[in-house]
Amino acid sequence: MRAVKAKVEGWRGWGRGRGKSGCCSFKRITVVACCVNLVAALVVLRSFDTSFFLFPSYGFNGNLFSVDQVERIEESIRVRREAESVELVRAVRKLSKELSREQKRGLNLPQNVKQKLANEILQRLQGDNVDTNVTKQRETVDLWRIEKLEEVRRVTTSKSNIDSSISYQEAKMLKRVLESNWLMLLEGIGLWIPADVIHTEHNDKPKDEQDLEEIIPGRPLPPECHAELHTDYDGAAVRWGLTHHKDSAADCCQACLDQAKHPKPGEKKCNIWVYCPSEFGCYSPDIYEHKHQECWLKQAEKPRLNFKDKYSKSYRKKHPNAPIVVPWMSGVVGA
């Protein structure tokens, strides 16, 4: 037993001595293996980085890029980079930063100063009684701004606030705001005045051209019809329009002319025609519903107007169903 233990201890001592003094210890082998792996990884990464230029490339459809195509791609990338206006982009960015910094610096007013300005403007508006007139509101606010700017400049120049309620530091901030950021200041204190809208109508229509709403369907009216738009003449009825319809105003006028030439025994001669050109019918204060294309033939020794152009306000007040514009058209014919 003692002999076996002595042999085992001998083997252990031999292993410890071998591990300490030998050139191939476990630590050294581990370090060498790690170095080899690191070198291999670097070689692989470098091969990936240069493979595009060293080896043929593949397109999106799986086909190989030729050397000429690769050169063109590289040339296009280079030209695109050179075409970038670097200086302009830098200048725009710099200007944007300066503007943003200026705006922040100009609008960085204390809350009590903003409240004071808002109260002064509101007092000026209420004092001038311009609450309902936008133009006068804008003029009043602009006048207040000019007066306030003069006061601020006086304080900043003299560095004294003897005759002013504004301190020197407040004056410096207000001067910058009133000169450059006036609209943003109004927005910041909650004051908004709508802009002026100037509407100008340009009448570039030829002199002889009729308005679309004044175009009468059908053949043109002859001069002897003496047609008058938006007109309703009074007179004794020769033919009732409720049962006498014509396709156009010209046909209605012609019916009046024909009837005057060949009247039946006991009939009056027509010298007034009244026509309804509206597809929606024409208004009349009687009990009947007057429809499109009604043609009234009338007679009067002294023709007298019922209505012309527009119904008056007093008439429309008494007759709520009456439109604004007279829908009828008429004409006086004959001697």
Side-chain angles (χ1 to χ4, degrees), residues 253-321:
C253 171
Q254 189 62 45
C256 182
L257 295 174
D258 294 342
Q259 193 278 339
K261 292 179 182 178
H262 308 286
K264 294 181 180 180
E267 281 188 344
K268 297 180 179 180
K269 291 184 178 181
C270 175
N271 66 340
I272 299 173
W273 61 272
V274 181
Y275 183 74
C276 178
S278 174
E279 296 181 357
F280 305 101
C282 294
Y283 169 80
S284 183
D286 54 31
I287 61 174
Y288 303 105
E289 181 182 356
H290 298 276
K291 298 183 179 180
H292 180 217
Q293 297 182 342
E294 281 190 12
C295 176
W296 289 76
L297 305 184
K298 301 181 180 181
Q299 196 277 337
E301 293 182 2
K302 294 181 179 180
R304 183 175 60 87
L305 283 171
N306 280 334
F307 304 101
K308 180 70 174 177
D309 294 332
K310 296 180 179 180
Y311 296 104
S312 64
K313 292 183 179 180
S314 59
Y315 181 85
R316 284 189 283 115
K317 188 176 181 180
K318 295 179 180 179
H319 302 81
N321 295 329

Side-chain angles (χ1 to χ4, degrees), residues 138-166:
R138 185 175 292 101
E139 292 176 355
T140 300
V141 174
D142 288 339
L143 180 60
W144 174 89
R145 173 179 174 246
I146 294 173
E147 295 175 356
K148 179 62 66 173
L149 189 57
E150 291 178 356
E151 179 184 357
V152 165
R153 287 173 178 170
R154 186 169 61 252
V155 172
T156 54
T157 302
S158 61
K159 295 185 179 182
S160 172
N161 58 348
I162 298 176
D163 57 344
S164 175
S165 60
I166 306 174

Side-chain angles (χ1 to χ4, degrees), residues 108-128:
N108 191 19
L109 293 175
Q111 187 63 32
N112 61 334
V113 177
K114 291 183 180 180
Q115 188 65 38
K116 185 191 299 183
L117 296 178
N119 292 335
E120 290 183 8
I121 295 175
L122 290 177
Q123 290 178 2
R124 179 66 67 87
L125 291 175
Q126 293 173 358
D128 292 348

Side-chain angles (χ1 to χ4, degrees), residues 320-331:
N321 295 329
I324 297 177
V325 179
V326 177
W328 299 91
M329 63 180 302
S330 307

